[in-house]
Amino acid sequence: MRGRLRVYLGAAPGVGKTYAMLCEGRRGLERGRDVVVGFVETHDRARTAALLDGMEVIPRKTMTHRGATFTELDTEAVIARAPTVALIDELAHTNVPGSRNVKRWQDIDDLLDAGIDVISTVNIQHLESVNDVVQEITGVPQRETVPDEVVRRADQIELVDMSPEALRRRMAHGNVYAPEKVDAALSNYFRVGNLTALRELALLWVAGKVDDQLDRYRAEHGIASTWEARERVVVALTGGPEGDTLVRRAARIAARTKGADLLAVHVTSADGLAGADPASLARQRSLVEDMGGTYHQVVGDDIPRALLDFARGVNATQLVLGASRRGRFAQLFSRGVGVETTARSGSIDVHMITHDEAKMGRRRPVRSRAALTRTRRSIGWVMAVAGMPVLTAALSPFRDVLSLPSEILFFLCLTVGVALVGGMWPAITAAVGGSLLLNWYFTPPIGEFTISDPENLFALVVFVLVAAAVSTIVDIAARRTRQAARASADAELLSTLAGHVLRGQAAVPSLLERMRETFGLTSVTLLERRPEAARTPDDQSDPDAWRIAATFGGAPSTCPGQSDTDVVIDADMILAAQGGPLDAADRTVLEAFAAEVAVALRQERLQQEAEQARPLAEADKMRTALLAAVSHDLRTPLASAKAAVESLHNTDVAWSEQDRAELFATAEESLDKLDRLVANLLDMSRLQAGVLGVTPQPLALEEIVPRAIDDLGPLRDRVEGDISIDLPEILADAALLERVLVNLMSNAVRYSPPDKTVLITASWHGDHVEIRVMDRGPGIPPEAHDHVFQPFQRLGDRDNHSGVGLGLALSRGLTEAMGGTLVPEETPGGGLTMTLTLPISSRAVPA
């Protein structure tokens, strides 16, 4: 039997997921269950660690990766122990390369398959579906994610909730992070706005899960009645002109209740030959989605029943319908969809919305001019006119041998053949003509249009009726076959065009091209009214009132009046086509495509505007950060140097040699800081402009590293180098590499405790060498690894008053310019390791 999974879901780190999991584990122990701790990360939180006392902890598996040691969940040991319940923290964790599985949730799947119940934890930011939303809110990318389906399959999901203010107080008291990390966390990730948004995401996600559970429970227990757990407003669309009014009205009804859902549904007939206007449906679907709703399409011949089945299926509370478009005379014979739906609705509230089209009558769907081709109809008329006399001449010699019923059967076979080939009217003509010929040549008295035997009269009447019925059925079948083929072709065309756009090709040009090819047009042009053009009755033929938004094919139309076919998309946009007029069926499909072209054009323009705005926003952000940072970093060393020089210049004070030396040293140190700052700013500007000069050459690390350590000045004593002379030469720019190492080492020294040294090591791996700068400082969380490389940013220090924050950004830029990489990693035992990877020289020979 597969085990059961229980997940504690939190909005952010520190809300108490691990604490709640351990409390549940201890309650299980008190109830006599066999509970073990498979993997729990306490993050040095005393109250959480205290819950582990007295609980059996499965030893972790130790693994080595890139020279560093890590501990992971020992899945095999937990399975061998076979407890009833295993507590395993951090569901979205990514295992060290070489582990049994890539992700921890896969390890948990193995435990569940082994029949072990698992209790785990996860934060909302690690769910795959909201990963991009969380990054947009917090500015921090989340690389460790878990598929939503994995969490949704859990037997129990419990939300561990906490208000943003309470979580920030918990952090300020040191109950979440170490004291040196609190200020950075509170000013960066754990801002009130961020936490509020993450909390709402968690609540909404759990609400969706609860909805799924409720729907499953109602389905399992056969509950068809509506449970008003949440307001859901369903609006029924027919594709008629009143649809826009209904959608807006339903949206206003849904807006009265916070969190209400808006759903639009269109019912098509089971044969797929409904007469709804595709262009209107496409426009109304776009309107529904713009208002935050969803569009659905169901199939059913009984429209009231189909509507109510859908509404009950989605647990809707309100149904919005339009007032009937049928006249009063038609309503005498049928109550209509609205009245029938209201009568059967039960607990669902039905709103009948009046509109301008009410009681205006239904528009008859456009029918094909002919069910059969002209060739087939011509052949049918020939068979009817010439076939009957030929058959009469052929049967006349056998008049004394054959009975009247046999002769009628021969005429009936010919009539059916005429119906199959030529349709209804040639077949009816053949039936009437055949009955006359039968009466004159084969029915006594011969040679007269009289019938002596009533039975013969009955046989001729039945012949005519059967022939007419068969002809009608054949004609209807041919008409439906043609309509179905046309509908199938239209559906295939829509599917092809949709796939054409979804495959990533340019939406507007591809749609116009396919429209031109499909309908055999010479050109297709999307015209847009000029904003400055005045609206006049003759502006349809005024080229100055329109501009070409997009075109494909031959010479474009410069105004709607120049086109053979024009489709009005809205008041300011028209699709103009040249190449001959289109029939009604083609025009209906063209209208749907025109609506899609307009949507695609608007999306392209929005994307272009976003692309144009992004560099401006980045530049503005860069300028703001630069001004805030440089104003402090330039002022501080300038003030120190100026004060030292003014003191030396002051003759009123008798300075000792020692004092003068200290003042000179202060001035020199301040000017060195200024020199480094200006050099970093210039190099960063060159990097961003792409004009930084790089001269790669073979270098020996045992020569570069000592020079970089010496450049640290007084900080050199806190750096320990361990570089082997057996390493191969690397390919890099000596000056730039030295700058990178100085920046990395000075940053490591700045954040290391005073009694700890910074270690710089190097190792050879295949075609590259890895240089590691390791400190024992507070480190940074994995989700903030990329954030520290942003220019003019310091982790948790948005105002930049403690420095420009260019060191790491410049180091990564210089490293990539030399063809290498720079990535942060956690130092085993605490701290941060910067790993600098550079290619070895082609002349390097393995030792």
Side-chain angles (χ1 to χ4, degrees):
M1 180 182 295
R2 182 176 169 86
R4 297 172 60 84
L5 174 62
R6 179 173 183 173
V7 176
Y8 285 95
L9 175 67
V15 296
K17 303 179 302 300
T18 304
Y19 189 89
M21 179 183 69
L22 290 174
C23 288
E24 178 62 25
R26 297 191 72 89
R27 285 192 293 270
L29 286 173
E30 294 172 358
R31 292 192 293 266
R33 303 192 72 189
D34 184 12
V35 181
V36 301
V37 176
F39 189 100
V40 168
E41 187 61 65
T42 64
H43 299 287
D44 297 328
R45 297 166 189 166
R47 297 183 61 188
T48 304
L51 292 176
L52 291 172
D53 293 342
M55 300 186 72
E56 181 182 352
V57 179
I58 302 295
R60 301 183 184 184
K61 178 168 53 178
T62 302
M63 303 188 67
T64 302
H65 177 62
R66 291 186 175 181
T69 302
F70 303 90
T71 59
E72 292 288 358
L73 169 68
D74 194 339
T75 308
E76 293 82 358
V78 177
I79 294 176
R81 169 62 176 77
T84 304
V85 181
L87 309 182
I88 301 175
D89 211 357
E90 299 179 356
L91 180 66
H93 173 76
T94 301
N95 294 329
V96 173
S99 300
R100 172 176 174 147
N101 294 304
V102 176
K103 305 288 288 188
R104 183 164 293 166
W105 63 264
Q106 296 171 325
D107 294 333
I108 291 177
D109 259 354
D110 292 344
L111 298 181
L112 296 174
D113 290 337
I116 301 173
D117 293 347
V118 176
I119 304 177
S120 188
T121 65
V122 70
N123 280 328
I124 189 66
Q125 67 263 27
H126 295 300
L127 296 183
E128 187 66 49
S129 64
V130 298
N131 181 259
D132 55 339
V133 180
V134 172
Q135 180 175 353
E136 183 178 352
I137 293 171
T138 64
V140 178
Q142 302 290 337
R143 285 185 168 79
E144 290 193 329
T145 59
V146 58
D148 287 46
E149 184 59 28
V150 173
V151 184
R152 288 190 182 277
R153 287 200 306 261
D155 299 278
Q156 286 182 275
I157 298 178
E158 184 169 337
L159 178 66
V160 183
D161 189 30
M162 178 175 289
S163 67
E165 294 78 11
L167 180 55
R168 286 171 60 86
R169 284 196 302 270
R170 175 182 286 185
M171 293 192 63
H173 294 158
N175 295 330
V176 179
Y177 289 148
E180 62 270 14
K181 297 182 180 181
V182 171
D183 290 339
L186 290 175
S187 60
N188 183 17
Y189 192 88
F190 289 85
R191 290 177 293 172
V192 173
N194 289 357
L195 296 178
T196 302
L198 292 175
R199 188 187 188 196
E200 183 176 11
L201 280 177
L203 290 170
L204 290 175
W205 195 93
V206 173
K209 170 66 175 177
V210 173
D211 277 343
D212 294 341
Q213 292 176 336
L214 180 60
D215 292 342
R216 185 165 59 249
Y217 177 85
R218 294 173 69 240
E220 291 173 352
H221 291 77
I223 300 174
S225 60
T226 300
W227 287 6
E228 298 185 15
R230 179 194 292 188
E231 287 289 339
R232 285 186 174 87
V233 181
V234 174
V235 53
L237 300 178
T238 64
E242 76 282 358
D244 295 0
T245 302
L246 299 183
V247 170
R248 292 188 174 92
R249 178 66 171 168
R252 290 196 296 270
I253 294 174
R256 294 171 184 167
T257 304
K258 187 173 179 60
D261 295 332
L262 173 64
L263 302 92
V265 60
H266 171 67
V267 181
T268 59
S269 62
D271 58 7
L273 301 177
D277 184 0
S280 297
L281 281 177
R283 186 183 66 254
Q284 291 163 12
R285 175 175 185 169
S286 178
L287 179 61
V288 169
E289 293 172 348
D290 289 343
M291 293 185 174
T294 57
Y295 178 85
H296 307 268
Q297 190 162 321
V298 297
V299 178
D301 289 326
D302 187 347
I303 296 179
R305 181 187 182 91
L307 285 176
L308 291 173
D309 286 346
F310 174 81
R312 293 190 179 103
V314 298
N315 202 22
T317 56
Q318 302 186 62
L319 181 61
V320 177
L321 302 175
S324 177
R325 284 185 284 159
R326 302 182 310 142
R328 293 182 178 178
F329 183 76
Q331 293 181 13
L332 294 175
F333 299 95
S334 175
R335 295 197 298 176
V337 173
V339 177
E340 287 289 340
T341 304
T342 304
R344 306 182 198 174
S345 62
S347 60
I348 300 177
D349 297 334
V350 179
H351 301 264
M352 297 294 296
I353 308 300
T354 59
H355 50 84
D356 295 338
E357 300 293 325
K359 298 185 180 180
M360 297 286 289
R362 289 176 179 258
R363 293 182 176 87
R364 294 186 178 273
V366 178
R367 296 197 174 193
S368 176
R369 291 188 295 270
L372 301 174
T373 63
R374 180 178 298 179
T375 301
R376 289 183 60 178
R377 283 181 284 137
S378 300
I379 296 174
W381 281 111
V382 171
M383 292 176 62
V385 174
M388 288 297 175
V390 171
L391 179 61
T392 301
L395 293 178
S396 294
F398 306 98
R399 184 185 308 161
D400 298 332
V401 179
L402 298 174
S403 63
L404 181 61
S406 299
E407 294 162 345
I408 288 177
L409 287 176
F410 279 106
F411 275 84
L412 182 61
C413 289
L414 179 58
T415 304
V416 171
V418 172
L420 291 173
V421 175
M424 181 173 63
W425 292 112
I428 292 178
T429 301
V432 173
S435 66
L436 295 176
L437 292 172
L438 282 169
N439 189 356
W440 183 270
Y441 288 100
F442 300 102
T443 305
I446 304 299
E448 298 180 10
F449 287 110
T450 59
I451 302 174
S452 59
D453 189 350
E455 185 177 349
N456 293 336
L457 175 63
F458 177 74
L460 288 177
V461 170
V462 171
F463 162 71
V464 174
L465 292 177
V466 170
V470 171
S471 303
T472 303
I473 292 173
V474 170
D475 185 74
I476 293 175
R479 189 183 302 275
R480 287 302 181 102
T481 300
R482 184 176 181 183
Q483 291 175 344
R486 183 56 181 266
S488 176
D490 292 344
E492 183 178 356
L493 181 59
L494 287 168
S495 175
T496 302
L497 289 173
H500 194 63
V501 175
L502 292 175
R503 281 191 294 270
Q505 303 176 10
V508 175
S510 65
L511 283 171
L512 295 179
E513 178 185 6
R514 295 307 299 272
M515 273 192 284
R516 188 190 69 81
E517 294 176 352
T518 301
F519 299 108
L521 303 171
T522 57
S523 70
V524 183
T525 306
L526 189 63
L527 297 173
E528 192 171 25
R529 190 187 301 273
R530 296 182 184 275
E532 67 277 6
R535 297 179 183 271
T536 63
D538 300 330
D539 63 356
Q540 298 293 308
S541 301
D542 183 9
D544 295 332
W546 301 87
R547 66 181 182 87
I548 298 175
T551 185
F552 193 89
S557 303
T558 57
C559 63
Q562 293 182 354
S563 63
D564 297 320
T565 302
D566 62 89
V567 176
V568 179
I569 300 174
D570 55 33
D572 297 321
M573 194 171 292
I574 290 179
L575 184 72
Q578 291 186 357
L582 301 177
D583 60 25
D586 287 339
R587 183 180 177 88
T588 300
V589 179
L590 191 66
E591 289 176 351
F593 293 158
E596 293 296 330
V597 170
V599 172
L601 179 64
R602 294 189 182 100
Q603 289 177 344
E604 285 187 2
R605 289 179 175 176
L606 289 174
Q607 186 175 3
Q608 291 173 0
E609 293 175 1
E611 292 295 334
Q612 293 173 359
R614 185 177 294 110
L616 297 176
E618 292 294 333
D620 183 68
K621 180 181 177 181
M622 186 75 71
R623 284 193 296 268
T624 302
L626 177 61
L627 289 174
V630 174
S631 62
H632 176 271
D633 271 34
L634 284 177
R635 185 170 59 250
T636 301
L638 275 176
S640 300
K642 183 179 180 181
V645 172
E646 287 180 351
S647 299
L648 291 170
H649 186 68
N650 189 355
T651 58
D652 296 335
V653 180
W655 301 103
S656 64
E657 289 299 325
Q658 182 178 357
D659 293 337
R660 293 174 65 83
E662 289 181 359
L663 290 174
F664 276 120
T666 300
E668 183 180 7
E669 182 180 354
S670 299
L671 293 175
D672 286 341
K673 288 182 179 179
L674 278 176
D675 180 65
R676 287 195 297 271
L677 174 60
V678 173
N680 284 343
L681 289 171
L682 291 176
D683 284 344
M684 180 57 69
S685 63
R686 293 191 188 102
L687 274 174
Q688 293 179 343
V691 296
L692 179 69
V694 180
T695 308
Q697 57 184 342
L699 300 174
L701 272 180
E702 62 268 21
E703 297 177 2
I704 297 295
V705 172
R707 290 208 306 264
I709 294 176
D710 289 338
D711 289 343
L712 292 174
L715 300 178
R716 69 172 67 92
D717 296 334
R718 297 187 55 191
V719 178
E720 179 182 348
D722 184 13
I723 306 297
S724 173
I725 61 174
D726 296 331
L727 292 173
E729 291 182 335
I730 60 173
L731 190 64
D733 186 297
L736 297 185
L737 178 57
E738 191 172 334
R739 290 282 303 283
V740 171
L741 293 176
V742 170
N743 282 336
L744 295 179
M745 291 186 292
S746 61
N747 188 73
V749 170
R750 184 180 301 115
Y751 288 102
S752 290
D755 58 338
K756 301 291 185 181
T757 60
V758 172
L759 178 63
I760 177 170
T761 64
S763 56
W764 179 17
H765 302 273
D767 60 350
H768 63 273
V769 170
E770 292 184 355
I771 307 168
R772 290 185 176 83
V773 179
M774 296 180 284
D775 65 55
R776 293 294 180 178
I780 58 175
E783 60 269 17
H785 280 177
D786 275 352
H787 183 67
V788 299
F789 290 105
Q790 296 179 9
F792 313 114
Q793 296 286 340
R794 286 179 177 273
L795 182 62
D797 193 6
R798 294 277 179 162
D799 60 5
N800 296 298
H801 285 176
S802 62
V804 177
L806 272 179
L808 292 180
L810 181 61
S811 297
R812 171 172 277 189
L814 295 179
T815 301
E816 293 176 350
M818 293 186 291
T821 60
L822 179 63
V823 294
E825 298 176 350
E826 293 183 6
T827 302
L832 183 69
T833 297
M834 286 292 179
T835 302
L836 172 65
T837 304
L838 291 170
I840 64 174
S841 172
S842 59
R843 73 185 191 187
V845 179

